[in-house]
Amino acid sequence: MGKECLPTVAMVLVQLGFAGMNVLSKLALDTGMSPYVLIAYRNLIAGVFLAPGAYYFEWRSGMVITKKVLTQIFFSSIFGATLNQVLYFVGLKSTTPTVACALSNTLPALTFVMAAVLKMETVRLGTPSGQAKVLGTVVCVGGSMIMPFYKGPLLKVWASPMHWRYAEHATDATTLPSGNAAIVGDVLIILSCVAWAVWFILQSKMSERFSAPYTSTTIMSLMAGVQCAGISVVMDRSVSAWKLGFDIRLYAALYVV
């Protein structure tokens, strides 16, 4: 019974990890940290961290990195890391962590639609399984859209006994992003999910030829780190934007890895 629960527990822990990433990233962005710098650090640190594991587990696998595989990894880095993360974190800067998490739930629906269009997913509307897939897609998208567009009364909860100095000056309910800024942020989050869905499609194709996930992820992370660093140089030309201390910026850069 315990082993059967492990996948469910693991998925719950992953969602908790994503929630923490949203909160810490939002706090770092609210202090003025550039989202492009945050993404560049994220991918470069991830690539360095994964490289030893890729060498240890897969260097004897016999997998050959051909030009075609390298091209697939390059496009995977563009859609799955650079484009996805740039859109997400720039959008997160203009919206709230809660809304960002809610809109991320459109990812399964977007992936399903793309896979169905590309004939990678079979949809038989006359069967219960096909109807369940379509219904699940509608519910997934509909539920995700409620939170950013529904404006209900403010719920007041009890005061938390926990106080973190980095969150003392965080955005409160009276200064939350609103109007065009909030809409732009929500749209960017959705577009990041579109890029993420494209990455899933690319990964499924690449894994047929190159089944070395640690190696491909390491190369993809390093490529994305270089790409994001280039974007940061264009968007944030100040050298001070790259400075890290023992503060929320460093914690966020390490956590989001």
Side-chain angles (χ1 to χ4, degrees):
M1 185 64 180
K3 292 183 178 180
E4 294 177 355
C5 295
L6 286 179
T8 303
V9 173
M11 287 187 287
V12 172
L13 292 177
V14 168
Q15 294 304 315
L16 290 174
F18 273 121
M21 181 198 73
N22 281 314
V23 173
L24 279 180
S25 300
K26 179 63 175 177
L27 289 174
L29 295 174
D30 284 347
T31 64
M33 186 177 190
S34 167
Y36 312 106
V37 172
L38 176 61
I39 301 165
Y41 274 128
R42 176 187 190 181
N43 287 286
L44 291 173
I45 294 174
V48 173
F49 178 79
L50 290 172
Y55 177 80
Y56 180 80
F57 291 108
E58 297 176 348
W59 74 288
R60 292 182 179 178
S61 63
M63 291 291 173
V64 180
I65 304 177
T66 62
K67 291 183 178 179
K68 186 172 184 179
V69 170
L70 201 60
T71 301
Q72 290 176 328
I73 295 176
F74 175 74
F75 282 104
S76 293
S77 69
I78 291 178
F79 285 97
T82 302
L83 190 57
N84 167 36
Q85 293 175 22
V86 165
L87 291 170
Y88 188 87
F89 283 100
V90 173
L92 179 61
K93 194 172 184 178
S94 300
T95 188
T96 65
T98 305
V99 172
C101 278
L103 291 177
S104 297
N105 291 325
T106 60
L107 177 61
L110 292 170
T111 306
F112 169 71
V113 172
M114 288 186 183
V117 171
L118 296 173
K119 306 298 183 182
M120 299 175 65
E121 181 76 31
T122 303
V123 182
R124 297 191 179 97
L125 296 178
T127 63
S129 61
Q131 295 170 1
K133 290 178 181 179
V134 174
L135 179 61
T137 301
V138 174
V139 172
C140 182
V141 175
S144 300
M145 291 297 103
I146 290 177
M147 189 166 291
F149 295 110
Y150 173 73
K151 305 299 180 183
L154 180 64
L155 297 179
K156 296 182 179 181
V157 296
W158 59 88
S160 174
M162 299 177 60
H163 297 282
W164 195 24
R165 65 187 180 90
Y166 294 114
E168 288 178 356
H169 303 291
T171 305
D172 58 27
T174 62
T175 59
L176 289 175
S178 59
N180 293 334
I183 294 175
V184 170
D186 297 342
V187 171
L188 290 177
I189 296 292
I190 295 174
L191 290 177
S192 76
C193 291
V194 174
W196 202 352
V198 173
W199 176 76
F200 277 122
I201 302 297
L202 293 174
Q203 283 292 105
S204 65
K205 289 294 184 181
M206 186 179 68
S207 62
E208 297 175 358
R209 292 178 172 270
F210 190 76
S211 56
Y214 293 108
T215 301
S216 61
T217 304
T218 299
I219 298 174
M220 183 186 71
S221 297
L222 293 175
M223 284 183 173
V226 174
Q227 294 164 10
C228 294
I231 296 174
S232 179
V233 169
V234 175
M235 302 299 294
D236 302 296
R237 300 182 181 181
S238 175
V239 179
S240 61
W242 290 86
K243 292 182 180 179
L244 294 176
F246 289 98
D247 52 18
I248 188 62
R249 299 189 180 192
L250 176 62
Y251 303 151
L254 293 175
Y255 185 91
V256 297
V257 172

